Amino acid sequence: MNILTRFSVGQYVYGNRSWLRIIDSRLKIIVIMIFLITPIWAGPIWRLSLVGCLLLITFLSLLPSRVWWRSLCLLSCLSLFIGFISILASFDIQSIDSSLRNPNELEVVLESYKNWDILQIPSQRVFFIDFGPYNFSRKAFELGIKTSTLIFTVIHSVNLMLLTTLQEDIVWGLSWFLYPLRKIGLPISKWLFQLLIALRFIPLVQEEFQNIIKSVSVRAINFRNLGFKKSFNLILILVERLFQNIFLRIDQGAESLLSKKKIIIKTNRFRTSYPSKFLNVIVNTLTICFILIAIFLRKLYGAL
């Protein structure tokens, strides 16, 4: 199993089929910041709208389905699982029948409380274990939506950008935004060079992980015969070997950089030049319109 081709997470996929590739990297960074920042202090409707917008962009991006469908399914399952755990963790496990005060004193509060609850599960006994009572409120449901949509939005939006944008182009776009900070003496070029190395290092980590999986599959290890304790020890050994290989790659990269006496970093060279076509102008113009509409809708409908 080739993980690098089956799960293209965080690495650029070469090609020219998608219109996402011709969008200016500076506009992509602004769009990504919209997906990352606007969910803060936003209601569930806006968060679900961002998820729907991301799915729509993914389906209409003209990217090959083999590039994104596996990672999309895995991320969707992970987000739903974490959202479900958040809902269970926020259950109100207080008794439904018992009341600490006279209900006649809090008629208004009780009426709003009844409207706020979605589901009430009374106490039940299964064999010798008592379950409940559980109070499934709308607040718990909103918490599940917030956690699941936040994980999906953050990971999938960044992954879409990395799939369709060269690492050098991302670094150049960030350098364009951070250019005023150079006037006050901050080492922006060095920071961006470190970011470029980190982005280049993502496929190496995936390759080492793939090598570990291949080594286990070749040896045909039967975890059932090993038992729980030995299987757990074997997993720890594999994780340790994975980190050792990653640190070895880091040492090799550091030695290659230290062997050079002086490194001249010019972020202007990282810019990818696209031919000026009418389609590029249309796509970038529509992207600017999308940014303005998203900011307007966030201000209008995104509040809690």
Side-chain angles (χ1 to χ4, degrees), residues 201 203-215 219 237-253:
F201 199 73
L204 299 179
V205 175
Q206 295 177 351
E207 183 180 355
E208 292 297 336
F209 182 69
Q210 175 181 304
N211 294 335
I212 293 294
I213 294 179
K214 284 184 177 180
S215 64
R219 290 170 175 81
I237 293 173
L238 294 176
V239 172
E240 182 182 2
R241 173 56 61 183
L242 174 63
F243 280 101
Q244 287 179 356
N245 294 342
I246 292 174
F247 291 149
L248 180 61
R249 292 288 188 98
I250 294 174
D251 290 337
Q252 293 174 353

Side-chain angles (χ1 to χ4, degrees), residues 66-267:
R66 60 179 177 82
V67 173
W68 51 264
W69 78 268
R70 290 186 179 88
S71 59
L72 180 62
C73 293
L74 182 62
L75 179 59
S76 300
C77 295
L78 177 64
S79 302
L80 292 175
F81 176 74
I82 295 179
F84 181 71
I85 294 298
S86 301
I87 293 175
L88 292 180
S90 57
F91 267 145
D92 186 7
I93 317 180
Q94 297 179 357
S95 177
I96 300 175
D97 299 327
S98 62
S99 58
L100 299 178
R101 300 181 62 178
N102 187 4
N104 296 326
E105 298 179 4
L106 302 172
E107 294 180 357
V108 179
V109 177
L110 288 176
E111 288 179 0
S112 62
Y113 182 75
K114 290 180 181 179
N115 295 330
W116 188 256
D117 295 335
I118 297 178
L119 179 64
Q120 291 182 350
I121 303 176
S123 178
Q124 296 180 358
R125 186 178 182 86
V126 179
F127 296 105
F128 57 91
I129 302 176
D130 294 330
F131 294 95
Y134 296 105
N135 185 13
F136 180 48
S137 63
R138 189 179 302 174
K139 194 171 184 179
F141 186 68
E142 289 182 355
L143 179 61
I145 292 177
K146 288 180 180 180
T147 53
S148 59
T149 53
L150 182 62
I151 292 174
F152 183 87
T153 304
V154 170
I155 298 178
H156 190 59
S157 60
V158 175
N159 186 39
L160 271 182
M161 181 178 181
L162 294 177
L163 286 176
T164 57
T165 312
L166 288 170
Q167 293 90 346
E168 292 82 359
D169 211 3
I170 296 175
V171 171
W172 175 82
L174 290 174
S175 67
W176 187 85
F177 286 107
L178 299 177
Y179 180 77
L181 298 180
R182 295 181 180 178
K183 299 298 182 180
I184 59 177
L186 293 179
I188 302 299
S189 298
K190 293 182 179 179
W191 294 349
L192 294 177
F193 183 69
Q194 293 175 359
L195 175 62
L196 179 61
I197 294 176
L199 293 175
R200 291 285 185 87
F201 199 73
I202 293 176
L204 299 179
V205 175
Q206 295 177 351
E207 183 180 355
E208 292 297 336
F209 182 69
Q210 175 181 304
N211 294 335
I212 293 294
I213 294 179
K214 284 184 177 180
S215 64
V216 175
S217 61
V218 167
R219 290 170 175 81
I221 300 174
N222 193 345
F223 288 94
R224 292 184 179 179
N225 296 334
L226 291 177
F228 176 76
K229 187 175 181 180
K230 292 183 179 179
S231 299
F232 186 72
N233 291 333
L234 179 60
I235 292 174
L236 291 180
I237 293 173
L238 294 176
V239 172
E240 182 182 2
R241 173 56 61 183
L242 174 63
F243 280 101
Q244 287 179 356
N245 294 342
I246 292 174
F247 291 149
L248 180 61
R249 292 288 188 98
I250 294 174
D251 290 337
Q252 293 174 353
E255 289 177 0
S256 64
L257 290 176
L258 291 175
S259 62
K260 300 180 180 180
K261 296 182 180 179
K262 187 177 181 181
I263 301 176
I264 300 176
I265 305 170
K266 294 183 179 180
T267 55

